[in-house]
Amino acid sequence: LDIGKYKDMVTLVADPTGVVTDTLNCYRGWLAVDKAHAARWPATDVNPYVKLFGMIFGLGSPGTIEKVVYGYVGNEEGGASSRQWVIEALLQGTEKGRYPKITAEAFDGVPADSGLRPFELATLRAQTGVHIVLNWGKLGPKDGDLFTRMGGTFVFRGGECIYAYFDEGILTYAPIDEVVSAAEM
């Protein structure tokens, strides 16, 4: 992640044990293990990869299928703002050596306000996914139960949470206009 000029404004927090998401009561994901009862009902434990795969297909992950489809069909009504960040992220990924490599020439002749074209967002997700898989040892959680753990977006002021959005599924995120509005209050 390249936060560059925003590094003094953004605090990124990693929670390798899941204690923060437990404390905030974030969604544990599809078929989450109830550790308090795992010894009594061990059959409830399913391979973390199976759980993640199920969530990618929308099981226990509301909104995921719609977001996946959106990445493939695009949004030509979205205008420049719906695709500019995707283009910048693809080019940034290429600069960092990620596959598939995309050059600025791939966007030559495409009107800037054409909206998100089919497969542009899906290509960015593929670029990100390949990078994650190739670096899983550094990026992935040690505890498989954390594979499907959802998080959220929180804005704090003076130690008080003034905005909270809890992710319900893969590829579902807080509406950025809500986050910015809360942060500017």
Side-chain angles (χ1 to χ4, degrees):
L1 178 63
D2 186 3
I3 60 173
K5 64 183 177 181
Y6 304 106
K7 66 182 175 186
D8 294 332
M9 299 167 50
V10 175
T11 301
L12 296 177
V13 181
D15 177 18
T17 64
V19 70
V20 172
T21 54
D22 278 344
T23 302
L24 292 170
N25 202 27
C26 292
Y27 180 47
R28 297 177 62 99
W30 182 57
L31 299 178
V33 173
D34 177 358
K35 290 188 181 209
H37 299 95
R40 186 169 176 191
W41 295 296
T44 61
D45 194 12
V46 176
N47 182 294
Y49 293 103
V50 172
K51 291 190 269 189
L52 181 60
F53 190 72
M55 287 184 73
I56 290 169
F57 283 95
L59 298 173
S61 186
T64 298
I65 293 297
E66 293 86 354
K67 295 292 186 178
V68 168
V69 170
Y70 177 80
Y72 285 100
V73 299
N75 177 9
E76 63 182 50
E77 303 299 320
S81 65
S82 73
R83 76 185 283 262
Q84 188 57 41
W85 71 272
V86 174
I87 293 169
E88 290 171 5
L90 281 165
L91 296 175
Q92 180 186 63
T94 296
E95 287 173 15
K96 298 206 179 274
R98 298 182 189 141
Y99 177 86
K101 297 187 184 312
I102 305 292
T103 63
E105 289 78 29
F107 305 101
D108 284 351
V110 179
D113 63 349
S114 66
L116 187 63
R117 296 184 300 169
F119 291 94
E120 284 179 327
L121 184 54
T123 303
L124 175 59
R125 289 178 181 157
Q127 188 185 68
T128 303
V130 168
H131 175 71
I132 289 170
V133 168
L134 293 176
N135 292 282
W136 189 252
K138 291 187 273 184
L139 300 173
K142 305 291 183 252
D143 180 350
D145 289 335
L146 298 177
F147 281 11
T148 57
R149 184 72 57 97
M150 297 292 107
T153 303
F154 307 93
V155 177
F156 291 89
R157 182 164 296 114
E160 178 186 350
C161 182
I162 60 170
Y163 176 85
Y165 177 91
F166 294 89
D167 300 334
E168 294 180 343
I170 295 172
L171 302 175
T172 61
Y173 310 103
I176 194 66
D177 54 331
E178 289 181 12
V179 177
V180 170
S181 178
E184 291 177 340
M185 292 172 59

